[in-house]
Amino acid sequence: MKVLKFGGTSVGSVLSILNVKKIVEAAVQEEPLVIIVSALGGVTDKLLATSALASGGDAAYESELSDIITRHLEIIDGVITQAGPRAELRNEVTGMLDELSNILKGVFLINDLSAKTSDTIVSYGERISSLILSRVIEGARLFDSRRLIKTIKQFNKHIVDFELTNQLIKQAFTPLPRVSVIPGFISSSRENGEVTNLGRGGSDYTAAILATALDASVLEIWTDVDGFMTADPRVISSAYVIDRLTFTEAMELCNFGAKVIYPPTIYPVYHKNIPIRIRNTFNPCAPGTYISKERNDTGKSMIKGISSINDTCLITVQGLGMVGVIGINYRIFKTLAKNGISVFMVSQASSENNTTFAVCNADADLSVTVLNEEFALERSQGEISDIVAEKELATVAIVGENMKRTPGIAGKLFGTLGRAGISVIACAQGASETNISFVINLRYLRKALNSIHDSFFLSEYKVLNLFIAGVGTVGGKLLEQIRIQQSMLMEQNALKLSVVGVANSKKLLLCREGLNLDGCIAELRENGEAGSPRHLCEEILKMNIFNSVFVDCTASPEIAGIYEELLKNNISVVAANKVAASSLYSNYVRLKETARQRDIKYLFETNVGAGLPIINTMNDLINSGDHILRLEAVLSGSLNFIFNTLSADIPFSRAIMMAREARYAEPDPRIDLSGKDVIRKLVILAREAGYKVEQEDVKLNIFIPEKYFEGALEDFWNNIRELDADFEAMRKRVEAEKKRIRLVAKMEKGDCQVGLQEVDRFHPFYELEGSNNIIMISTERYNDYPMIIKGYGAGDDVTAAGVFADIISIANIR
């Protein structure tokens, strides 16, 4: 035989009850069924609220009671189609509701609600729902669980007397009917027969008791979810149903917040090795979660699921007077038990000078009071400090029997939290190694759950959440490249790039679930909120989203100014912006060191050479033990384009305009012509090569008089033609000498200079075409024959591709 339990949502409407009928009719074809029924969804809470109103002398209880009566009668009218049986059931239910009404009226008149009366009142929910279901299912026989499940009172709780209960159940179900219906939750006292109940989730417990006593083949818990999830789907959209769990895993998940089944449900069936299957009344075709003693080692992750309790308070008892003293913990937990306070996690230092435990927030103040009283003498002598409560916390547990004897699980867990910038306040792990629990600040709960889910491959995809500042030329191309590659990265690399924020110089647009890349730039212009670099930083930190990457496609010093705060909050930074890496050496070092300490990334490959792998190559050389001695490079794509474009027909001023029109030069080309952009690039390379260099240390051999950089941009365009003749003369001379003009940046053992150089046809820089860049790297290993990197050094597409490559490297998929 099989035991089926249907929760409140399963019998909460006409449609759901008809679903239950179909499920039962299909299942009964295979074997006899015992059906446990909860009260209609929400009725138990409604009865408790109505009782509270009545006991407080509030006549509004009558309106609440009227709602309860109306709902039950409407359900009957919807599920019983024949007039005669419908009228008969209505009469029976009305009689029970009249009894309930009289009890509540008495409570109202005397303004008192005893525990005995409260238990009686809430019992009507299950009694009426089971009666209705027994009439809906053809041939079903209704049993009264008050006659079967007997309890005794311990610590103000009703504890099942299993010996007597099992005996009564076996007697009542001999012979076993084809379909039996029993109200869940309710029971009666062994001593006097008064109505009692099994507490929250008691219908699950009722089902387990019946399954154990009758040696059921399986216990099916029918609810409104498909089964146990890897995490709370309200927090983690990628959470999915766990197909198999052991009893131990299910118990651990239940104890730490997974509300799929009532934890005590597992104990009775575990001892009889009766499997539990969680099913969805509203999706009966779903296989659900199967719970048994057998371990399933075929999963891709060492953990099965993550559970959490957001109602957590930590109490710490500490003092040097605790060290070596026997019985301190006994006194702590004895005091808590006497006052009915439940502890769900304990952590103790090996030095024995403190014990920390977790309770719900509602018990926090009482815990502090009773423990301060218990240790009053020790506190007065200074042996134990005043006991305090730390609130606004959350407890998280990772669960899985595959963690046993597997090295590195705890290290990976705490490393993941550390990279996310989440501090662990307390932690605990039992010798069974099936659960690692820890306490964190409540405001980091969502971030912690997402980070762990992602890190332990419980998610289908690894997710990077991107904030992109600057959506013009480079940023716009980057968004387009991400849009095109998104599906391929998800399919081939299990990597999901989610753009959760975009910003321009005036507005920002954020969405935790991810923006639509087809229209996010237009939406930013139309619906973005007014913003500034400071406001953008504040909003990013407020989102507190996991695996965050800030991508800077601007040239803004103000945007570069927020890097440090982002890095300190464990947000990786990818920068096409050269400002930060070429700023004061102390700032450059501080940003790099912050990223290193936080185990995140600060990447700026595109600061030099657009998409060319220059900085990464230099880092690889240094990390492998080589030393960079000398650098020689053409680093300005715009100036190389200008000097390559000069001809008898194209004067210097026209070549500058063509570079700007082709987007190789800055909107203000004086930035390129002054050599300052090359200086910044050379400073960055010298620093990455291991040398302490400031921009002021670079010797600049300027080739355009200073006066052309003064005044407005319009003045520059009006005056720059004055140099056309000089540059034409230079061009003719070097052409006659079969040479070419290049702006060359050099670094030798930390000494840096930038200036024009005429190179002959044997020089590697001679054939450098268009806007290309080239760099020669001389090291101890590559001395006689320097390493040469050459290619496109400017352009929106290649720069965006370089930024994209840095983003991909953060995901560690290459």
Side-chain angles (χ1 to χ4, degrees):
M1 56 81 61
K2 183 188 294 186
V3 173
L4 282 65
K5 178 264 175 177
F6 291 97
T9 53
S10 299
V11 291
S13 67
V14 171
L15 180 61
S16 61
I17 291 176
L18 294 178
N19 280 343
V20 169
K21 181 182 179 183
K22 291 179 183 178
I23 292 166
V24 171
E25 287 173 347
V28 78
Q29 303 300 320
E30 301 174 2
E31 54 189 322
L33 304 178
V34 174
I35 299 169
I36 314 300
V37 188
S38 295
L40 304 187
V43 165
T44 299
D45 289 335
K46 191 90 167 177
L47 286 168
L48 289 169
T50 304
S51 303
L53 289 172
S55 65
D58 190 338
Y61 88 89
E62 293 178 335
S63 174
E64 297 293 316
L65 176 60
S66 176
D67 290 344
I68 294 171
I69 293 171
T70 300
R71 183 177 178 196
H72 283 94
L73 295 180
E74 287 177 348
I75 290 285
I76 292 170
D77 292 341
V79 297
I80 306 294
T81 56
Q82 295 180 338
R86 182 168 64 240
E88 181 182 344
L89 180 57
R90 281 180 67 101
N91 286 337
E92 288 186 61
V93 170
T94 300
M96 296 174 70
L97 290 169
D98 286 343
E99 293 174 11
L100 174 62
S101 177
N102 289 332
I103 296 171
L104 286 167
K105 186 173 183 180
V107 171
F108 174 73
L109 291 173
I110 65 173
N111 290 347
D112 182 68
L113 180 64
S114 67
K116 170 184 171 182
T117 305
S118 179
D119 288 346
T120 301
I121 290 171
V122 295
S123 73
Y124 279 89
E126 276 73 16
R127 289 168 59 194
I128 295 173
S129 64
S130 60
L131 174 60
I132 294 172
L133 192 62
S134 70
R135 301 299 173 84
V136 171
I137 299 169
E138 185 178 350
R141 180 179 169 189
L142 179 64
F143 288 81
D144 187 347
S145 53
R146 294 173 297 177
R147 299 180 180 275
L148 304 176
I149 300 178
K150 297 295 180 178
T151 62
I152 55 177
K153 199 165 187 178
Q154 291 181 6
F155 298 106
N156 293 320
K157 292 186 178 181
H158 302 297
I159 307 300
V160 175
D161 180 344
F162 277 99
E163 184 176 352
L164 178 57
T165 295
N166 288 339
Q167 179 183 335
L168 292 172
I169 291 172
K170 289 176 180 178
Q171 290 174 358
F173 286 87
T174 305
L176 184 66
R178 192 67 182 160
V179 180
S180 307
V181 177
I182 306 161
F185 178 65
I186 58 178
S187 51
S188 65
S189 170
R190 182 185 69 180
E191 285 79 15
N192 53 28
E194 291 176 350
V195 176
T196 60
N197 65 62
L198 303 179
R200 281 284 181 186
S203 292
D204 288 353
Y205 198 22
T206 303
I209 292 167
L210 269 292
T212 302
L214 298 175
D215 292 317
S217 60
V218 66
L219 166 59
E220 290 187 354
I221 306 289
W222 289 82
T223 180
D224 58 352
V225 295
D226 286 342
F228 275 88
M229 306 287 286
T230 51
D232 187 343
R234 295 168 299 181
V235 177
I236 301 175
S237 58
S238 59
Y240 56 87
V241 176
I242 306 170
D243 56 352
R244 297 182 73 92
L245 288 170
T246 65
F247 287 119
T248 301
E249 290 168 337
M251 176 62 72
E252 294 284 7
L253 288 171
C254 288
N255 281 336
F256 279 88
K259 304 298 184 184
V260 181
I261 58 175
Y262 182 52
T265 303
I266 297 172
Y267 295 123
V269 293
Y270 168 77
H271 292 295
K272 281 287 191 77
N273 198 22
I274 298 170
I276 302 173
R277 187 177 289 279
I278 311 299
R279 303 290 297 275
N280 190 343
T281 308
F282 306 98
N283 186 19
C285 295
T289 299
Y290 186 78
I291 304 168
S292 66
K293 282 188 175 180
E294 288 73 36
R295 284 178 57 179
N296 176 25
D297 297 327
T298 60
K300 62 180 180 180
S301 175
M302 289 293 102
I303 69 173
K304 283 292 184 69
I306 313 164
S307 199
S308 62
I309 301 172
N310 58 13
D311 178 20
T312 298
C313 173
L314 278 184
I315 311 290
T316 299
V317 181
Q318 63 181 348
L320 295 178
M322 296 172 60
V323 178
V325 178
I326 297 172
I328 293 289
N329 284 342
Y330 167 74
R331 290 172 61 190
I332 292 172
F333 297 113
K334 178 194 71 173
T335 301
L336 296 172
K338 280 172 57 180
N339 288 275
I341 298 169
S342 176
V343 173
F344 54 82
M345 195 191 92
V346 179
S347 178
Q348 182 177 27
S350 59
S351 62
E352 299 183 38
N353 71 349
N354 70 75
T355 297
T356 299
F357 55 89
V359 299
C360 65
N361 284 302
D363 290 332
D365 293 340
L366 178 59
S367 300
V368 171
T369 300
V370 298
L371 288 173
N372 275 330
E373 291 173 356
E374 173 67 23
F375 293 100
L377 177 61
E378 289 84 352
R379 288 169 49 235
S380 68
Q381 296 173 345
E383 295 177 357
I384 291 181
S385 304
D386 286 346
I387 294 153
V388 294
E390 186 175 358
K391 300 180 181 179
E392 295 298 314
L393 305 175
T395 305
V396 180
I398 64 169
V399 172
E401 292 215 57
N402 290 343
M403 295 194 301
K404 289 181 178 178
R405 310 292 183 264
T406 303
I409 296 293
K412 184 175 183 178
L413 170 64
F414 295 121
T416 297
L417 294 171
R419 284 189 297 275
I422 300 169
S423 176
V424 174
I425 300 169
C427 62
Q429 180 181 21
S432 65
E433 297 185 72
T434 58
N435 174 322
I436 301 176
S437 310
F438 57 92
V439 177
I440 59 175
N441 191 297
L442 178 59
R443 71 190 182 99
Y444 291 120
L445 177 59
R446 175 187 285 271
K447 189 175 185 181
L449 294 176
N450 277 282
S451 298
I452 297 166
H453 202 266
D454 186 78
S455 177
F456 280 89
F457 304 106
L458 290 175
S459 298
E460 186 177 359
Y461 306 109
K462 179 181 179 66
V463 179
L464 286 186
N465 292 297
L466 309 180
F467 298 90
I468 300 179
V471 292
T473 53
V474 174
K477 292 291 185 182
L478 175 62
L479 286 168
E480 179 64 11
Q481 290 175 10
I482 292 172
R483 185 189 66 79
I484 293 170
Q485 289 295 104
Q486 261 182 335
S487 57
M488 186 278 289
L489 289 170
M490 292 170 69
E491 183 178 330
Q492 296 185 11
N493 301 100
L495 173 64
K496 181 179 179 181
L497 298 181
S498 179
V499 178
V500 295
V502 291
N504 58 25
S505 59
K506 297 179 180 178
K507 292 184 175 182
L508 60 95
L509 181 68
L510 304 173
C511 177
R512 179 179 287 275
E513 288 71 34
L515 296 167
N516 180 356
L517 298 188
D518 286 321
C520 66
I521 296 179
E523 188 178 355
L524 171 66
R525 295 194 190 105
E526 294 171 13
N527 303 319
E529 64 175 287
S532 64
R534 173 48 42 195
H535 181 54
L536 174 62
C537 181
E538 290 170 354
E539 290 299 311
I540 291 172
L541 298 182
K542 192 185 299 181
M543 283 182 74
N544 198 26
I545 200 166
F546 80 111
N547 284 2
S548 295
V549 181
F550 180 74
V551 183
D552 182 5
C553 295
T554 75
S556 165
E558 290 76 20
I559 291 291
I562 68 174
Y563 291 179
E564 184 173 1
E565 190 166 354
L566 294 172
L567 291 168
K568 284 182 176 179
N569 283 275
N570 291 76
I571 297 172
S572 292
V573 173
V574 172
N577 187 344
K578 294 183 277 289
V579 171
S582 62
S583 63
L584 291 175
Y585 183 79
S586 58
N587 185 56
Y588 160 84
V589 170
R590 187 165 57 250
L591 294 177
K592 298 264 288 187
E593 187 65 17
T594 301
R596 187 189 66 79
Q597 289 174 351
R598 298 282 177 169
D599 197 16
I600 53 174
K601 302 292 185 181
Y602 169 42
L603 304 176
F604 43 89
E605 177 65 76
T606 55
N607 279 193
V608 182
L612 295 178
I614 297 173
I615 293 175
N616 282 334
T617 301
M618 290 173 58
N619 287 334
D620 288 343
L621 289 170
I622 292 169
N623 292 335
S624 66
D626 206 348
H627 293 88
I628 295 174
L629 305 175
R630 185 170 57 257
L631 299 172
E632 190 173 355
V634 174
L635 299 175
S636 174
S638 55
L639 288 174
N640 199 54
F641 175 86
I642 289 168
F643 289 124
N644 281 334
T645 303
L646 283 177
S647 69
D649 299 323
I650 302 175
F652 184 60
S653 59
R654 176 60 186 147
I656 296 171
M657 180 63 74
M658 290 173 66
R660 195 182 76 157
E661 290 170 351
R663 296 184 184 274
Y664 294 137
E666 298 287 340
D668 184 348
R670 291 177 295 181
I671 297 174
D672 300 289
L673 295 169
S674 67
K676 290 179 181 178
D677 189 57
V678 175
I679 289 174
R680 289 190 296 181
K681 293 177 180 179
L682 182 58
V683 165
I684 293 169
L685 291 181
R687 289 173 176 179
E688 290 295 290
Y691 299 96
K692 182 178 179 180
V693 176
E694 301 285 4
Q695 290 190 41
E696 294 76 16
D697 298 331
V698 180
K699 301 181 184 70
L700 173 62
N701 299 315
I702 194 167
F703 59 94
I704 293 180
E706 190 67 38
K707 68 176 184 177
Y708 291 96
F709 299 107
E710 298 171 354
L713 180 59
E714 185 179 354
D715 297 330
F716 168 79
W717 287 117
N718 291 332
N719 299 328
I720 194 65
R721 296 185 183 92
E722 298 171 1
L723 296 179
D724 286 350
D726 292 341
F727 275 93
E728 173 60 13
M730 181 192 301
R731 184 194 67 78
K732 285 181 178 179
R733 179 178 56 79
V734 296
E735 186 177 46
E737 296 174 1
K738 295 183 179 181
K739 293 180 181 180
R740 289 179 179 170
I741 305 167
R742 300 287 183 248
L743 182 68
V744 178
K746 296 180 179 180
M747 188 281 298
E748 185 158 3
K749 296 181 180 178
D751 290 330
C752 300
Q753 59 178 302
V754 173
L756 289 184
Q757 182 175 329
E758 298 170 8
V759 297
D760 61 29
R761 60 193 179 90
F762 300 105
H763 197 286
F765 294 175
Y766 184 83
E767 297 291 348
L768 195 62
E769 298 178 355
S771 64
N772 287 0
N773 282 190
I774 188 171
I775 183 169
M776 294 194 300
I777 305 172
S778 299
T779 72
E780 290 180 349
R781 294 173 186 160
Y782 294 87
N783 201 345
D784 295 333
Y785 299 96
M787 179 182 291
I788 297 177
I789 301 172
K790 176 181 177 182
Y792 288 120
D796 304 336
D797 278 322
V798 292
T799 304
V803 173
F804 200 170
D806 273 351
I807 293 170
I808 295 297
S809 72
I810 291 175
N812 291 321
I813 65 169
R814 64 177 188 180

